[in-house]
Amino acid sequence: MSATAAHTKPKNKEPPPQWRGDIDTLMKSSMSLLKAATPHMDKTLPKEQPVCYGRVKDLSAKVPPQWWKSVFADAMYLKTDGDVVEDPEITKGEIALLEAIPCVKEIFLRDSELEAGDDSPEQPESPARILDLCCGQGRHSLHLAKEYPHLFVHGHDQSSYLISLAQERASFQSVTSQTFFTVGDCRQIPYPDNTFDLVLIMGNSFGYFADEQGDRAVLGEVARVLAPGGRLVLDITDGDYMRENYAERSWEWVDDSTFVCRERQLSKDGLRLISREIITVANKGVVRDQFYQERLYSQAELATLIRESNLCLDAENAQEKASDRIITIGYDLSKRKEDLGMMEQRTMVMATKPLPVQPLLDPTSALPDLVANSMTSPAESSGPPLQGACPAQKLHSVPTVEELVDGVSSCLAIDPTGPPPAFPLVSVILGDTSMGCFGKLNNTWNAEDIETRAKLVQALRSMGYADSQVKILDNHHDLLRHFSVHQDTFVFNLCDEGFFNDALKELHVPALLEAANVEYSGAGPNCLAYCYDKGLVNRTAEAMGVPTPAEITYLGDTSTPAVSDLNKLDQLIKDRILYPAFIKPVKGDNSLGITSRSIVRNRDELRAYTDELTAIGIRDVLVQEYLQGTEYGVGMVGNIESGFHFFPILEVDYTKIVEKNLPPILGFESKWDPSSPYWTDISYKRASLSPEVEKQLKKNCVVLWERFGFRDYGRFDFRCDVGTGTGKDGENGTIKLLEVNPNPGWCWDGKFAYMAKLDGLEYKDMLRMIIQAAWARITKKA
C-alpha cells in the first residue's frame, strides 16, 4: 500500500507552530512534568530531581507508569517530532492512504455532493461519524473536516494541551461546527455504544501500556463505540522491522539551537522498545530527559489481539502481503531525513465490527409483541448475516447533530396521542413514602407529593393501561427481593429521590435494574453519576464548546493548590469572577442548597452562606459568576439513534418576583415550599428566540446528551449572563449552561410537563412519549 496522491501546498495559511515559544518556559515545565509522571519514585529520588540522569544502564527502570502524561503534555513534543507530526504534506499523504482504501473512501463520501449523482435512485444516507482516537493536536481530524465538510469528526486524546491546540486550530480553519474534541483516557471513550462508522488510530498511537491488557481495553472500547459493520483503521509501527532495525543511539538538530540525543533498548522479553530522549538547547544546556516505551506488535500478534476484541480482521488484510501494507510516508516526506524512530516504518491494519446475529424468536413468547412494530430496512429483513461476517454493505449511520436538530419532526416517530407501547406490564418505581426524604420540605412527604402520585396513576389509566397492567414499586426494602423472584417486562423508573430516598443513590436504582437484567426508562447509572457532579458537568461542557459560567471549586475541608482557604477564595472571586457571585453545591439534586442567599456580594456574605451550607452537611461548593439575564429551559424526548422531539423552549418569567424585590432564581423554595412566593409567583412562557439562537441551543443539548449518555428524555437549563442573548437587545449577552437534568422532574406541574403543555400536549401525552422513546430504544436493541 503506498500513497500516490499529489502533494500541494495547503490553501489556507497555517497558524505559526506552537512550539516556537520561550524555551525557558519549557525548561521550567520539565521538572513539574517529571514529578507528575513519576509518583512511584518520590521516595527514591531527591526532592530537587536532576534535569539529566547521566548514564543509565537499564532504561526501563526510568520509564514512568503513565509516561504519555508528561511526554505529550506541552509543546516540546511538537518541537522534537515536528518534522512528521507538524508537516501538513505528511498528514495529507496519510489521508491519501486512507482514501486509497475503497470502503474507507465510501465512508468519507457518504451523503456528500461527490457521491450523490443527479440520476441516483437511492435516498442519500446520513454523513458518517468518525472518531479520531488518540488524535493529538487533531491533524487528521482537521484535514478530514476541511476536505469533507459534510463529515462530523470527533477527536479524543488524553493530552489537554494537544486538545486545546486542536480546538484553536479548528477555530482558525473555520471547522468548529464539524469537529468535536474531548479529553480523556483512550480506554474510556466518552460516547455511547454503536456511535461511529469509522474509528482511526493514526500515527503509531497504540501499544503504550505496560502490558497487553491496556491495549485490549482500547480495542474493546473501539468495538463498543463502532456501529455494527463499522470499520477500524490502525496505523502502527511495523514491530518486526523495528525490532531488527532500531538505532541504539542517535542525535539530531531539530532546529538551529535545539538537538536531541536518543538511546534505545529492547526489553528483556523483546516485546517493547524503550526510548530515552535528552533534549539540549544551545546556551541553556539540557532542558529535558524523558523515557518512554512502546509495544512492538507483529502482524500475527495484532491479528490475535483484534479477534480477541470481537472485531473481524478485514479480508484485505488476510489476502495482502505484509509488504503491501507498509507505510514509509513519514520518512519519504520528512524535511530533516534524520531519526524518525517508531514513525519510520509503519503498517496499516483494518478490522470490522460484525453485524449482530438476529435471534430466532419463539412466536409463542411475549417478546414478539414488543418488537412486532419495530422498523427494519429491506436489507435487514432479508435474513441474518453469518456470525463473524465482515459485510461490505453501507452502514446505517447515527444521525448527525445537524439532522437531529433540523429534522426533529421526521426523525422521531412518536405519536403523543396514540396507544401505549405493547408492554404487557409496566412496573413504576417511585420513592419510598414509608420513610423520610431528605431534601424535601421538612425532610418529609407532603400533601403535594401524594397528589402528584395520584395524578400519575390517573394519567397511566388515561393512556389505556388497566390497573392490572400497572405495578407500583415503592417499598425499597423489598426491591432486591422483588427482582430476584419476578421478571418484570419493563420498569418506568421515576425514582428521582434515589434508592432509600437518598439522592446520592439515584444511580443505584438503574444499577439494580441492570443487575436484574430488566429493561427500564431513562438514564443509566453512569449518566446519573456524572451529572450529579455539577463541576464535572461544567468542565466537560466547556471542553465540548458549550458556554458555561466562570467558576471556582471550594472544598470546605480540604486545602487545594488553587484555593487554600476562604480568604484565598474571596481574592479569586475578586480577580476572576467579580461580586455578586453565586454559590451552589458541587454535587446535589432537587435544588438543595440553592436559595436567595446563594447570591453573595462580599466576603462576609460568602462566609455566612458557606457556614449555613456546612450546617446542613454541604461543605464543597462551586462559586460561579452570577448570571443575571434571561433563563431558558430545553426539553427533549427521544434518543440519538431515532432522533428527538424538542418541546418549545421555555422562558422563566420572574416579573412578579422582581416586583417584590426578590432575587430572580429558581431555588429550593420554588420546588418544595408552597407558601413561598417562589412557588406561587414564578411563571413560564414560550421563549422568543431567533431561529439561529434556538438552533444553537438545541445543538448544545444534543452534544451534551450524547456526551453524558442521556436516554429517552432530558432537560437542559441555560441562562444569559446579561440580557436575553438574542443579539437584538444591545446587551451582547452569552447564553450559558446552568444545569443538565437526566431523568428530569416528571410531576404533572413541573417544568417538563409545562414544556409539553406549550406543545399542546396533556400530562398523559408527555408520559406516553417517554415510554414510547424507551420502547423504540429497547426494541431497536433487541
Side-chain angles (χ1 to χ4, degrees):
M1 183 181 298
S2 62
T4 58
H7 301 287
T8 60
K9 293 183 178 180
K11 298 178 182 178
N12 296 333
K13 182 181 178 182
E14 293 291 336
Q18 298 294 316
W19 46 262
R20 292 178 184 166
D22 181 7
I23 198 65
D24 287 320
T25 301
L26 292 174
M27 288 182 66
K28 291 175 183 177
S29 69
S30 178
M31 293 308 299
S32 61
L33 291 173
L34 182 62
K35 184 176 180 181
T38 56
H40 65 297
M41 301 170 69
D42 282 349
K43 295 180 180 179
T44 60
L45 292 177
K47 292 184 179 180
E48 290 295 327
Q49 298 174 13
V51 174
C52 182
Y53 286 96
R55 178 178 295 179
V56 176
K57 292 184 178 180
D58 181 7
L59 300 185
S60 65
K62 295 293 185 182
V63 177
Q66 298 182 358
W67 58 263
W68 51 89
K69 288 191 174 182
S70 57
V71 170
F72 303 114
D74 61 14
M76 187 65 82
Y77 157 67
L78 302 180
K79 190 177 182 73
T80 59
D81 290 38
D83 58 325
V84 175
V85 301
E86 286 286 83
D87 188 330
E89 295 300 309
I90 292 178
T91 300
K92 182 177 181 179
E94 290 169 345
I95 295 297
L97 290 175
L98 297 175
E99 292 171 328
I101 306 170
C103 61
V104 175
K105 181 71 170 181
E106 181 274 322
I107 293 173
F108 289 164
L109 291 177
R110 189 173 302 154
D111 195 41
S112 70
E113 294 180 359
L114 295 174
E115 183 192 43
D118 294 337
D119 57 349
S120 175
E122 297 183 4
Q123 292 293 326
E125 291 186 279
S126 301
R129 181 165 293 188
I130 296 173
L131 173 63
D132 185 5
L133 187 59
C134 305
C135 66
Q137 71 274 28
R139 61 191 182 99
H140 298 102
S141 298
L142 298 174
H143 188 94
L144 285 172
K146 286 193 297 182
E147 293 298 317
Y148 302 93
H150 64 287
L151 286 178
F152 289 90
V153 187
H154 300 246
H156 185 67
D157 196 277
Q158 61 83 31
S159 171
S160 58
Y161 167 77
L162 293 176
I163 288 295
S164 296
L165 186 56
Q167 291 170 330
E168 291 177 11
R169 292 180 176 180
S171 178
F172 179 85
Q173 297 173 19
S174 301
V175 292
T176 53
S177 63
Q178 303 146 250
T179 54
F180 306 87
F181 292 103
T182 54
V183 178
D185 195 311
C186 60
R187 293 166 293 183
Q188 295 177 330
I189 301 173
Y191 292 98
D193 298 356
N194 307 324
T195 295
F196 296 101
D197 303 295
L198 175 66
V199 174
L200 304 174
I201 305 179
M202 301 293 291
N204 192 48
S205 300
F206 185 80
Y208 288 1
F209 299 102
D211 57 51
E212 283 71 41
Q213 285 303 110
D215 297 332
R216 287 191 180 93
V218 174
L219 291 178
E221 275 291 89
V222 169
R224 181 184 67 79
V225 300
L226 270 177
R231 303 274 183 167
L232 163 68
V233 177
L234 176 60
D235 162 18
I236 186 174
T237 195
D238 182 350
D240 290 336
Y241 171 87
M242 187 56 59
R243 191 176 288 108
E244 299 299 325
N245 295 278
Y246 73 90
E248 291 187 5
R249 290 180 177 84
S250 71
W251 69 274
E252 64 169 317
W253 289 96
V254 297
D255 61 23
D256 291 341
S257 62
T258 307
F259 68 91
V260 182
C261 296
R262 295 185 175 94
E263 288 185 85
R264 297 186 180 95
Q265 294 176 354
L266 275 179
S267 61
K268 293 179 180 179
D269 57 10
L271 297 179
R272 286 170 177 77
L273 186 63
I274 303 147
S275 301
R276 178 189 190 183
E277 290 183 343
I278 303 175
I279 304 168
T280 305
V281 177
N283 302 322
K284 297 286 185 181
V286 175
V287 297
R288 188 164 300 176
D289 188 359
Q290 58 191 20
F291 299 78
Y292 54 92
Q293 64 181 4
E294 297 168 84
R295 178 66 158 87
L296 301 178
Y297 280 108
S298 68
Q299 295 287 332
E301 288 173 325
L302 272 179
T304 299
L305 204 64
I306 286 170
R307 293 190 182 100
E308 288 176 350
S309 302
N310 296 320
L311 294 170
C312 175
L313 200 66
D314 276 17
E316 292 92 332
N317 282 101
Q319 295 169 2
E320 281 185 338
K321 297 179 181 178
S323 59
D324 294 335
R325 298 193 297 274
I326 295 302
I327 303 172
T328 60
I329 192 169
Y331 181 80
D332 297 339
L333 296 181
S334 171
K335 304 296 190 298
R336 297 204 295 253
K337 295 292 186 186
E338 298 198 47
D339 186 356
L340 272 73
M342 304 287 277
M343 297 289 278
E344 179 178 335
Q345 180 163 309
R346 288 129 56 200
T347 184
M348 191 170 283
V349 179
M350 292 172 290
T352 302
K353 180 175 179 177
L355 291 172
V357 175
Q358 299 295 326
L360 297 176
L361 301 177
D362 178 3
T364 64
S365 70
L367 185 58
D369 292 335
L370 302 183
V371 299
N373 295 321
S374 61
M375 298 176 64
T376 57
S377 68
E380 290 171 328
S381 61
S382 63
L386 296 176
Q387 186 171 11
C390 296
Q393 68 262 33
K394 296 179 179 179
L395 310 180
H396 298 281
S397 301
V398 175
T400 65
V401 173
E402 294 287 341
E403 291 173 323
L404 291 169
V405 172
D406 288 340
V408 292
S409 297
S410 60
C411 282
L412 186 60
I414 284 184
D415 180 4
T417 61
F423 292 121
L425 177 68
V426 174
S427 301
V428 184
I429 296 186
L430 299 168
D432 191 336
T433 56
S434 69
M435 61 181 73
C437 187
F438 181 72
K440 292 184 180 292
L441 186 64
N442 300 321
N443 297 328
T444 189
W445 298 88
N446 302 283
E448 292 77 18
D449 299 311
I450 306 306
E451 179 187 10
T452 294
R453 292 187 172 216
K455 288 185 178 291
L456 169 66
V457 173
Q458 181 181 352
L460 291 173
R461 289 171 179 164
S462 299
M463 289 165 55
Y465 284 106
D467 288 349
S468 59
Q469 291 181 281
V470 178
K471 183 191 302 180
I472 302 297
L473 301 175
D474 61 355
N475 180 354
H476 290 194
H477 291 90
D478 190 54
L479 283 181
L480 289 172
R481 185 204 62 80
H482 172 87
F483 289 115
S484 68
V485 299
H486 297 281
Q487 184 60 45
D488 293 62
T489 305
F490 171 72
V491 167
F492 196 13
N493 179 24
L494 301 180
C495 187
D496 47 10
E497 292 87 0
F499 195 39
F500 287 108
N501 299 343
D502 182 348
L504 283 170
K505 296 179 180 177
E506 184 179 358
L507 65 93
H508 290 49
V509 176
L512 170 62
L513 295 172
E514 293 198 358
N517 199 27
V518 176
E519 300 288 1
Y520 61 93
S521 67
N526 284 342
C527 174
L528 294 175
Y530 296 149
C531 296
Y532 197 77
D533 189 321
K534 297 177 174 64
L536 176 64
V537 166
N538 288 348
R539 296 287 64 76
T540 304
E542 182 182 43
M544 302 287 286
V546 178
T548 61
E551 68 180 21
I552 302 166
T553 301
Y554 175 63
L555 307 182
D557 293 335
T558 305
S559 174
T560 68
V563 188
S564 55
D565 54 29
L566 202 69
N567 292 327
K568 179 64 173 178
L569 176 61
D570 172 59
Q571 187 59 49
L572 289 173
I573 293 172
K574 294 174 181 176
D575 293 342
R576 300 182 187 176
I577 295 177
L578 302 179
Y579 286 109
F582 193 83
I583 298 178
K584 63 170 64 173
V586 169
K587 298 180 180 180
D589 197 9
N590 294 332
S591 296
L592 183 65
I594 299 177
T595 71
S596 58
R597 298 177 300 283
S598 293
I599 305 170
V600 296
R601 297 167 180 81
N602 51 54
R603 183 181 180 281
D604 291 340
E605 291 184 2
L606 172 67
R607 178 177 293 279
Y609 197 60
T610 53
D611 287 347
E612 180 179 334
L613 293 178
T614 299
I616 60 173
I618 299 174
R619 302 179 182 277
D620 302 335
V621 299
L622 296 177
V623 182
Q624 298 179 332
E625 65 172 306
Y626 174 42
L627 305 179
Q628 303 184 49
T630 304
E631 185 170 340
Y632 303 102
V634 183
M636 49 201 292
V637 180
N639 283 292
I640 292 289
E641 297 80 7
S642 56
F644 296 105
H645 178 93
F646 285 90
F647 293 129
I649 294 180
L650 193 77
E651 178 181 330
V652 184
D653 188 351
Y654 289 114
T655 302
K656 295 182 179 179
I657 291 294
V658 173
E659 289 174 353
K660 295 183 177 181
N661 293 320
L662 294 172
I665 65 168
L666 279 174
F668 179 83
E669 298 98 326
S670 67
K671 292 184 177 181
W672 305 111
D673 187 358
S675 65
S676 169
Y678 284 102
W679 178 289
T680 58
D681 292 345
I682 291 177
S683 58
Y684 305 100
K685 61 184 179 181
R686 185 190 293 259
S688 179
L689 296 170
S690 68
E692 294 77 17
V693 173
E694 185 170 318
K695 181 177 180 179
Q696 186 58 55
L697 281 180
K698 291 177 179 178
K699 286 176 67 175
N700 288 344
C701 292
V702 171
V703 168
L704 293 168
W705 179 294
E706 181 174 8
R707 176 62 182 86
F708 291 113
F710 277 51
R711 296 194 320 194
D712 304 337
Y713 67 121
R715 195 189 79 235
F716 300 86
D717 298 330
F718 300 86
R719 191 161 187 174
C720 198
D721 49 6
V722 291
T724 62
T726 60
K728 299 178 180 179
D729 56 5
E731 297 281 359
N732 197 28
T734 300
I735 300 176
K736 301 183 178 184
L737 180 68
L738 274 184
E739 298 274 354
V740 300
N741 299 278
N743 296 5
W746 48 268
C747 55
W748 66 277
D749 57 350
K751 289 173 71 174
F752 204 72
Y754 199 92
M755 292 173 178
K757 185 177 180 180
L758 290 177
D759 219 4
L761 303 175
E762 299 180 21
Y763 178 48
K764 64 178 181 180
D765 303 327
M766 179 200 80
L767 296 175
R768 180 187 285 109
M769 292 178 73
I770 296 172
I771 296 176
Q772 286 180 329
W775 174 81
R777 169 177 54 81
I778 292 167
T779 54
K780 185 179 182 69
K781 180 173 65 174

